[in-house]
Amino acid sequence: MKNWIVGVGLMILTLPAVAQKSEAFKRHYVNHTEFGTLLGRVTAGEGNSEITESKTSITAQTYNGIQLNPDLSVGLIAGMDWYKSNLVTPLAAGLRYQLGRKGNGRFFTMLDTGYGFTWFHKDNEGFDSKGGWMINPGIGMGLGKQKGLTFTLSWKRQHVFVEKPILWNQLDRYENRNYQRLVLRIGMSF
């Protein structure tokens, strides 16, 4: 009888250890705030008067979202891009997908798409700048498990429409600007 009581007692003590399951994934808030530079080349003029210049601009953005599973998060993005002749405020939807984890490092892909507004841009007299569609695919590397330092490399295309003042007897003057830039950013995620 003593053996039976000892056996049942040992089973009761070991049962919780055997029956434990690994902790289920819980959705949680994620933030990725980063600053960087927009690098590109611009060609202006026609024929013999064509000039190509390198352009460097500043960018900042914050990504706020929900981690849907251990690899995928979706969120919203708000930012500021300071091009030489326009200040654009992109608002977008974004995806972040982790490719793999090794120790404290992780690689991820990203895709942001939305609309860039010119709310904070001050036009010169007679000019009227209007924003346009934006797309920003890229790759990145994070240091740290969930929180930490991040580095991203992406390509950004931002459309801006600018109406210019009419000179002499012209009917209209405008530019369709398509900013295409290589984007290098450093940031923090949590």
mmCIF file of all heavy atoms in Angstrom, residues 19-42:
data_model
loop_
_atom_site.group_PDB
_atom_site.id
_atom_site.type_symbol
_atom_site.label_atom_id
_atom_site.label_comp_id
_atom_site.label_asym_id
_atom_site.label_seq_id
_atom_site.Cartn_x
_atom_site.Cartn_y
_atom_site.Cartn_z
ATOM 1 N N ALA A 19 3.061 17.619 -18.603
ATOM 2 C CA ALA A 19 1.918 18.154 -19.323
ATOM 3 C C ALA A 19 2.115 19.585 -19.788
ATOM 4 O O ALA A 19 1.279 20.113 -20.490
ATOM 5 C CB ALA A 19 0.683 18.076 -18.436
ATOM 6 N N GLN A 20 3.197 20.241 -19.416
ATOM 7 C CA GLN A 20 3.379 21.633 -19.816
ATOM 8 C C GLN A 20 3.600 21.748 -21.313
ATOM 9 O O GLN A 20 4.343 20.968 -21.898
ATOM 10 C CB GLN A 20 4.566 22.246 -19.079
ATOM 11 C CG GLN A 20 4.278 22.537 -17.645
ATOM 12 C CD GLN A 20 5.485 23.159 -16.958
ATOM 13 O OE1 GLN A 20 6.584 23.141 -17.494
ATOM 14 N NE2 GLN A 20 5.267 23.698 -15.779
ATOM 15 N N LYS A 21 2.968 22.703 -21.900
ATOM 16 C CA LYS A 21 3.154 22.996 -23.316
ATOM 17 C C LYS A 21 4.003 24.249 -23.423
ATOM 18 O O LYS A 21 4.035 25.070 -22.523
ATOM 19 C CB LYS A 21 1.813 23.237 -23.997
ATOM 20 C CG LYS A 21 0.945 22.009 -24.041
ATOM 21 C CD LYS A 21 -0.332 22.322 -24.756
ATOM 22 C CE LYS A 21 -1.213 21.093 -24.806
ATOM 23 N NZ LYS A 21 -2.485 21.343 -25.440
ATOM 24 N N SER A 22 4.668 24.397 -24.575
ATOM 25 C CA SER A 22 5.433 25.624 -24.761
ATOM 26 C C SER A 22 4.452 26.802 -24.823
ATOM 27 O O SER A 22 3.324 26.664 -25.271
ATOM 28 C CB SER A 22 6.265 25.555 -26.044
ATOM 29 O OG SER A 22 5.409 25.408 -27.149
ATOM 30 N N GLU A 23 4.910 27.949 -24.364
ATOM 31 C CA GLU A 23 4.051 29.122 -24.278
ATOM 32 C C GLU A 23 3.624 29.563 -25.672
ATOM 33 O O GLU A 23 4.435 29.670 -26.586
ATOM 34 C CB GLU A 23 4.807 30.242 -23.580
ATOM 35 C CG GLU A 23 3.901 31.353 -23.144
ATOM 36 C CD GLU A 23 4.640 32.356 -22.292
ATOM 37 O OE1 GLU A 23 5.344 31.933 -21.363
ATOM 38 O OE2 GLU A 23 4.507 33.554 -22.575
ATOM 39 N N ALA A 24 2.337 29.808 -25.856
ATOM 40 C CA ALA A 24 1.795 30.218 -27.149
ATOM 41 C C ALA A 24 2.231 31.646 -27.469
ATOM 42 O O ALA A 24 2.416 32.475 -26.586
ATOM 43 C CB ALA A 24 0.279 30.128 -27.129
ATOM 44 N N PHE A 25 2.344 31.941 -28.767
ATOM 45 C CA PHE A 25 2.698 33.289 -29.217
ATOM 46 C C PHE A 25 1.563 34.245 -28.887
ATOM 47 O O PHE A 25 0.394 33.941 -29.082
ATOM 48 C CB PHE A 25 2.967 33.286 -30.725
ATOM 49 C CG PHE A 25 3.185 34.660 -31.272
ATOM 50 C CD1 PHE A 25 4.404 35.276 -31.147
ATOM 51 C CD2 PHE A 25 2.150 35.349 -31.894
ATOM 52 C CE1 PHE A 25 4.611 36.560 -31.627
ATOM 53 C CE2 PHE A 25 2.342 36.621 -32.380
ATOM 54 C CZ PHE A 25 3.581 37.229 -32.243
ATOM 55 N N LYS A 26 1.903 35.421 -28.381
ATOM 56 C CA LYS A 26 0.916 36.457 -28.097
ATOM 57 C C LYS A 26 1.197 37.652 -28.995
ATOM 58 O O LYS A 26 2.331 38.109 -29.099
ATOM 59 C CB LYS A 26 1.006 36.895 -26.634
ATOM 60 C CG LYS A 26 0.591 35.821 -25.667
ATOM 61 C CD LYS A 26 0.702 36.315 -24.247
ATOM 62 C CE LYS A 26 0.379 35.205 -23.286
ATOM 63 N NZ LYS A 26 0.617 35.577 -21.904
ATOM 64 N N ARG A 27 0.166 38.166 -29.638
ATOM 65 C CA ARG A 27 0.314 39.371 -30.455
ATOM 66 C C ARG A 27 0.711 40.524 -29.556
ATOM 67 O O ARG A 27 0.241 40.627 -28.424
ATOM 68 C CB ARG A 27 -0.980 39.697 -31.177
ATOM 69 C CG ARG A 27 -1.330 38.693 -32.225
ATOM 70 C CD ARG A 27 -2.578 39.089 -32.945
ATOM 71 N NE ARG A 27 -2.863 38.093 -33.959
ATOM 72 C CZ ARG A 27 -3.925 38.099 -34.710
ATOM 73 N NH1 ARG A 27 -4.829 39.049 -34.577
ATOM 74 N NH2 ARG A 27 -4.110 37.167 -35.607
ATOM 75 N N HIS A 28 1.557 41.398 -30.090
ATOM 76 C CA HIS A 28 1.988 42.539 -29.294
ATOM 77 C C HIS A 28 2.330 43.717 -30.207
ATOM 78 O O HIS A 28 2.511 43.560 -31.403
ATOM 79 C CB HIS A 28 3.178 42.167 -28.394
ATOM 80 C CG HIS A 28 4.370 41.682 -29.145
ATOM 81 N ND1 HIS A 28 4.506 40.378 -29.559
ATOM 82 C CD2 HIS A 28 5.481 42.323 -29.564
ATOM 83 C CE1 HIS A 28 5.654 40.242 -30.204
ATOM 84 N NE2 HIS A 28 6.247 41.402 -30.229
ATOM 85 N N TYR A 29 2.407 44.889 -29.596
ATOM 86 C CA TYR A 29 2.730 46.139 -30.286
ATOM 87 C C TYR A 29 4.211 46.151 -30.660
ATOM 88 O O TYR A 29 5.058 45.702 -29.896
ATOM 89 C CB TYR A 29 2.407 47.309 -29.348
ATOM 90 C CG TYR A 29 2.952 48.638 -29.791
ATOM 91 C CD1 TYR A 29 2.324 49.369 -30.784
ATOM 92 C CD2 TYR A 29 4.103 49.157 -29.213
ATOM 93 C CE1 TYR A 29 2.818 50.599 -31.182
ATOM 94 C CE2 TYR A 29 4.607 50.384 -29.610
ATOM 95 C CZ TYR A 29 3.961 51.086 -30.592
ATOM 96 O OH TYR A 29 4.460 52.295 -30.992
ATOM 97 N N VAL A 30 4.521 46.680 -31.846
ATOM 98 C CA VAL A 30 5.914 46.861 -32.268
ATOM 99 C C VAL A 30 6.104 48.286 -32.775
ATOM 100 O O VAL A 30 5.179 48.896 -33.306
ATOM 101 C CB VAL A 30 6.349 45.854 -33.357
ATOM 102 C CG1 VAL A 30 6.365 44.453 -32.826
ATOM 103 C CG2 VAL A 30 5.463 45.928 -34.580
ATOM 104 N N ASN A 31 7.302 48.803 -32.578
ATOM 105 C CA ASN A 31 7.660 50.126 -33.073
ATOM 106 C C ASN A 31 9.047 50.031 -33.686
ATOM 107 O O ASN A 31 9.914 49.341 -33.166
ATOM 108 C CB ASN A 31 7.663 51.159 -31.947
ATOM 109 C CG ASN A 31 8.155 52.516 -32.432
ATOM 110 O OD1 ASN A 31 9.344 52.753 -32.529
ATOM 111 N ND2 ASN A 31 7.217 53.379 -32.747
ATOM 112 N N HIS A 32 9.229 50.720 -34.794
ATOM 113 C CA HIS A 32 10.520 50.788 -35.462
ATOM 114 C C HIS A 32 10.702 52.238 -35.909
ATOM 115 O O HIS A 32 10.071 52.677 -36.866
ATOM 116 C CB HIS A 32 10.520 49.835 -36.655
ATOM 117 C CG HIS A 32 11.843 49.669 -37.279
ATOM 118 N ND1 HIS A 32 12.028 48.955 -38.428
ATOM 119 C CD2 HIS A 32 13.068 50.102 -36.935
ATOM 120 C CE1 HIS A 32 13.299 48.966 -38.759
ATOM 121 N NE2 HIS A 32 13.937 49.667 -37.864
ATOM 122 N N THR A 33 11.534 52.985 -35.202
ATOM 123 C CA THR A 33 11.772 54.392 -35.518
ATOM 124 C C THR A 33 13.179 54.531 -36.069
ATOM 125 O O THR A 33 14.127 53.998 -35.489
ATOM 126 C CB THR A 33 11.603 55.262 -34.261
ATOM 127 O OG1 THR A 33 10.261 55.085 -33.786
ATOM 128 C CG2 THR A 33 11.844 56.722 -34.568
ATOM 129 N N GLU A 34 13.306 55.215 -37.209
ATOM 130 C CA GLU A 34 14.612 55.291 -37.860
ATOM 131 C C GLU A 34 14.832 56.630 -38.561
ATOM 132 O O GLU A 34 13.894 57.326 -38.915
ATOM 133 C CB GLU A 34 14.790 54.130 -38.833
ATOM 134 C CG GLU A 34 13.657 53.930 -39.790
ATOM 135 C CD GLU A 34 13.730 52.635 -40.556
ATOM 136 O OE1 GLU A 34 14.649 51.830 -40.343
ATOM 137 O OE2 GLU A 34 12.856 52.430 -41.401
ATOM 138 N N PHE A 35 16.116 56.946 -38.726
ATOM 139 C CA PHE A 35 16.567 58.167 -39.399
ATOM 140 C C PHE A 35 17.605 57.766 -40.437
ATOM 141 O O PHE A 35 18.308 56.773 -40.264
ATOM 142 C CB PHE A 35 17.209 59.130 -38.392
ATOM 143 C CG PHE A 35 16.305 59.484 -37.262
ATOM 144 C CD1 PHE A 35 16.320 58.751 -36.089
ATOM 145 C CD2 PHE A 35 15.423 60.540 -37.386
ATOM 146 C CE1 PHE A 35 15.471 59.063 -35.047
ATOM 147 C CE2 PHE A 35 14.567 60.858 -36.343
ATOM 148 C CZ PHE A 35 14.595 60.119 -35.176
ATOM 149 N N GLY A 36 17.724 58.563 -41.488
ATOM 150 C CA GLY A 36 18.711 58.199 -42.492
ATOM 151 C C GLY A 36 18.844 59.213 -43.597
ATOM 152 O O GLY A 36 18.500 60.383 -43.463
ATOM 153 N N THR A 37 19.338 58.701 -44.716
ATOM 154 C CA THR A 37 19.617 59.565 -45.865
ATOM 155 C C THR A 37 19.013 58.965 -47.129
ATOM 156 O O THR A 37 18.920 57.750 -47.274
ATOM 157 C CB THR A 37 21.134 59.771 -46.010
ATOM 158 O OG1 THR A 37 21.372 60.704 -47.051
ATOM 159 C CG2 THR A 37 21.866 58.492 -46.290
ATOM 160 N N LEU A 38 18.597 59.847 -48.025
ATOM 161 C CA LEU A 38 18.072 59.490 -49.346
ATOM 162 C C LEU A 38 19.144 59.863 -50.365
ATOM 163 O O LEU A 38 19.538 61.026 -50.443
ATOM 164 C CB LEU A 38 16.787 60.273 -49.640
ATOM 165 C CG LEU A 38 15.632 60.103 -48.663
ATOM 166 C CD1 LEU A 38 14.650 61.257 -48.788
ATOM 167 C CD2 LEU A 38 14.927 58.795 -48.923
ATOM 168 N N LEU A 39 19.621 58.901 -51.124
ATOM 169 C CA LEU A 39 20.697 59.144 -52.088
ATOM 170 C C LEU A 39 20.180 58.935 -53.502
ATOM 171 O O LEU A 39 19.510 57.943 -53.785
ATOM 172 C CB LEU A 39 21.857 58.166 -51.845
ATOM 173 C CG LEU A 39 22.437 58.150 -50.432
ATOM 174 C CD1 LEU A 39 23.377 56.974 -50.267
ATOM 175 C CD2 LEU A 39 23.149 59.461 -50.154
ATOM 176 N N GLY A 40 20.496 59.860 -54.417
ATOM 177 C CA GLY A 40 20.055 59.712 -55.796
ATOM 178 C C GLY A 40 20.763 60.667 -56.734
ATOM 179 O O GLY A 40 21.560 61.505 -56.320
ATOM 180 N N ARG A 41 20.475 60.494 -58.017
ATOM 181 C CA ARG A 41 21.018 61.371 -59.052
ATOM 182 C C ARG A 41 19.850 61.948 -59.827
ATOM 183 O O ARG A 41 18.879 61.268 -60.098
ATOM 184 C CB ARG A 41 21.960 60.601 -59.965
ATOM 185 C CG ARG A 41 23.205 60.172 -59.200
ATOM 186 C CD ARG A 41 24.247 59.481 -60.047
ATOM 187 N NE ARG A 41 24.769 60.178 -61.189
ATOM 188 C CZ ARG A 41 25.701 61.138 -61.155
ATOM 189 N NH1 ARG A 41 26.189 61.531 -60.013
ATOM 190 N NH2 ARG A 41 26.138 61.689 -62.254
ATOM 191 N N VAL A 42 19.978 63.227 -60.209
ATOM 192 C CA VAL A 42 18.919 63.939 -60.909
ATOM 193 C C VAL A 42 19.479 64.517 -62.193
ATOM 194 O O VAL A 42 20.551 65.120 -62.195
ATOM 195 C CB VAL A 42 18.352 65.078 -60.019
ATOM 196 C CG1 VAL A 42 17.324 65.884 -60.764
ATOM 197 C CG2 VAL A 42 17.782 64.506 -58.743
#
